Amino acid sequence: MDQMEENEIELETVVIDDTADESLPLSTEKINTINVEETNKVEKIVRFPITRIKHLVKMDPDVNLCSQEALFLITKTTEFFVECLSKEAYSYTSQSKKKTVQKRDVERAIDAVDALAFLEGILDS
């Protein structure tokens, strides 16, 4: 009989948890699940490894500290820059009816786009 009463209590607890009002605070298990999901979303937002970008930022002697928000923005900006440069270079690759982007395609892209003028001569080394 004591075993049956324990089961009834457990059953009542399960029923209360399953029908709990959503306005009540979340259980620890649900909070942990949400935190894991949010972490996965953050990882999918950027393609480049943030730690590598952080290492590159630290190589600059003028930078003492860099917040996580600034590091995220630098990472996203780097992604957009590489995407822009690669798309522009690929347009020259496809014009020459090739499938492999070569150094000369990147040089043509740099010469053609005014925003990329700061890269002129950088591939000569």
Side-chain angles (χ1 to χ4, degrees), residues 34-81:
I34 291 171
N35 287 339
V36 169
E37 289 174 4
E38 288 175 3
T39 304
N40 290 339
K41 287 180 184 177
V42 170
E43 291 174 354
K44 293 178 184 178
I45 290 175
V46 293
R47 296 179 203 157
F48 289 166
I50 293 180
T51 54
R52 181 65 181 150
I53 302 296
K54 185 176 184 177
H55 178 72
L56 293 172
V57 168
K58 285 185 174 182
M59 289 175 64
D60 186 357
D62 295 334
V63 178
N64 294 329
L65 294 173
C66 184
S67 69
Q68 285 296 104
E69 293 84 9
L71 192 59
F72 173 76
L73 291 174
I74 292 168
T75 304
K76 287 305 285 183
T77 304
T78 305
E79 288 177 11
F80 290 137
F81 170 74

Side-chain angles (χ1 to χ4, degrees), residues 48-121:
F48 289 166
I50 293 180
T51 54
R52 181 65 181 150
I53 302 296
K54 185 176 184 177
H55 178 72
L56 293 172
V57 168
K58 285 185 174 182
M59 289 175 64
D60 186 357
D62 295 334
V63 178
N64 294 329
L65 294 173
C66 184
S67 69
Q68 285 296 104
E69 293 84 9
L71 192 59
F72 173 76
L73 291 174
I74 292 168
T75 304
K76 287 305 285 183
T77 304
T78 305
E79 288 177 11
F80 290 137
F81 170 74
V82 170
E83 182 179 352
C84 172
L85 180 61
S86 60
K87 282 182 180 180
E88 196 65 35
Y90 183 73
S91 69
Y92 288 101
T93 303
S94 63
Q95 284 177 4
S96 60
K97 298 182 182 173
K98 306 272 184 186
K99 292 185 178 181
T100 305
V101 178
Q102 296 179 353
K103 181 180 174 181
R104 67 172 180 248
D105 299 322
V106 177
E107 288 173 344
R108 287 182 192 166
I110 291 171
D111 292 338
V113 179
D114 292 336
L116 300 175
F118 70 96
L119 295 174
E120 288 182 6

